[in-house]
């Protein structure tokens, strides 16, 4: 009788130890899983995946729908830079550029991608090469859309430092509905004040048209930088 009780006690104690060990292992497993999950979430937010190359060839007749979906997705991370090479300067051909490129390949007449997307590339994250490519596509698709021409002129002047191209775009904008003073501005591009004057004019145009506050603030910061650089000369 007593031997049976002792055996039961030993068995119970072994079961208790086993349950304790299993509990510790289960806790460790849950902790590791949660840690890995959190790490995955952080990494996912920091490494956005662009659309596959030539997505327009596998759209199966849903090009416009896919373009709309990509545009909505890109709006959520307009200021995202996958590789910052300097303060507010992103590596060329960034994630945002690939999004804009795919959108405009899927839907070549997707105007807002040229008007706002290219502007975000040049003003917000300073992807110069990416912005140049999207503006080139935009000017080709909308040769009479003066706001796109006007914004492209800013990009070529301030980021690319191509005064001739900027002046040509301003004249083209003036011939297609832009305010008459753009012709005067085009003539001033070879003066030192041309850069700031064009940037400030673009800023006022963005404010009047109630553009994204992020774009407005970033352009204002660039204008302030230009003025500080001029004052220090």
């Amino acid at each position: 009788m007593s031997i049976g009780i002792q055996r039961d006690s030993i068995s119970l104690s072994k079961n208790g130890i086993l349950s304790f060990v299993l509990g510790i292992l289960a806790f460790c497993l849950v902790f590791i899983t949660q840690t890995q999950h959190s790490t995955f979430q952080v990494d996912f937010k920091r490494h956005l995946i662009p659309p596959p190359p030539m997505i327009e060839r596998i759209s199966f007749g849903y090009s416009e729908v896919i373009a709309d979906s990509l545009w909505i997705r890109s709006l959520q991370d307009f200021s995202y830079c996958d590789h910052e090479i300097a303060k507010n300067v992103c590596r060329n051909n960034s994630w945002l550029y690939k999004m804009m490129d795919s959108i405009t390949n899927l839907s070549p007449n997707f105007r807002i991608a040229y008007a706002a997307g290219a502007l975000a590339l040049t003003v917000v994250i300073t992807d110069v090469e990416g912005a140049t490519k999207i503006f080139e596509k935009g000017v080709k698709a909308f040769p009479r859309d003066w706001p796109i021409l006007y914004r492209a002129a800013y990009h070529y002047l301030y980021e690319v430092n191509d005064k001739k191209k900027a002046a040509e775009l301003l004249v083209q904008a003036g011939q297609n509905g832009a305010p008459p003073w753009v012709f005067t501005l085009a003539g001033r591009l070879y003066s030192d004040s041309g850069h700031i004057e064009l940037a400030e004019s673009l800023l006022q145009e963005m404010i009047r048209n109630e553009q994204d506050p992020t774009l407005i603030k970033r352009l204002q910061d660039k204008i302030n930088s230009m003025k500080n650089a001029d004052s220090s000369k």
Side-chain angles (χ1 to χ4, degrees), residues 183-214:
F183 294 105
T184 304
L185 182 56
R188 294 177 182 172
L189 288 184
Y190 290 96
S191 68
D192 292 336
S193 62
H195 288 70
I196 295 178
E197 189 173 350
L198 176 56
E200 289 182 329
S201 300
L202 175 59
L203 178 65
Q204 294 305 315
E205 188 260 331
M206 290 167 62
I207 293 173
R208 284 194 301 272
N209 290 285
E210 299 180 347
Q211 292 292 316
D212 189 323
T214 302

Side-chain angles (χ1 to χ4, degrees), residues 169-185:
L169 287 167
L170 282 175
V171 171
Q172 188 176 345
Q175 293 171 342
N176 289 280
W181 50 259
V182 297
F183 294 105
T184 304
L185 182 56

Side-chain angles (χ1 to χ4, degrees), residues 69-179:
S69 299
L70 291 177
W71 175 251
I72 293 171
R73 177 64 191 88
S74 65
L75 286 176
Q76 301 172 46
D77 287 285
F78 243 27
S79 60
Y80 172 76
C81 175
D82 46 345
H83 187 80
E84 192 173 57
I85 58 177
K87 185 178 179 181
N88 296 321
V89 179
C90 196
R91 177 175 57 185
N92 286 327
N93 303 315
S94 60
W95 173 85
L96 183 59
Y97 159 72
K98 292 173 182 176
M99 293 290 282
M100 296 302 107
D101 189 47
S102 294
I103 290 169
T104 52
N105 285 339
L106 287 161
S107 179
N109 293 322
F110 203 118
R111 181 188 177 278
I112 193 66
Y114 305 116
L119 190 63
L121 283 166
T122 188
V123 171
V124 179
I125 66 173
T126 318
D127 175 355
V128 177
E129 187 174 322
T132 300
K133 292 177 181 178
I134 299 302
F135 271 126
E136 285 178 351
K137 293 172 73 174
V139 170
K140 184 177 180 180
F142 295 93
R144 296 184 178 181
D145 191 315
W146 76 261
I148 291 178
L149 299 168
Y150 187 73
R151 296 171 191 190
Y154 161 82
H155 170 73
Y156 277 98
L157 177 63
Y158 183 66
E159 300 295 351
V160 183
N161 197 29
D162 187 340
K163 295 181 179 180
K164 182 175 182 295
K165 180 69 173 180
E168 290 173 354
L169 287 167
L170 282 175
V171 171
Q172 188 176 345
Q175 293 171 342
N176 289 280

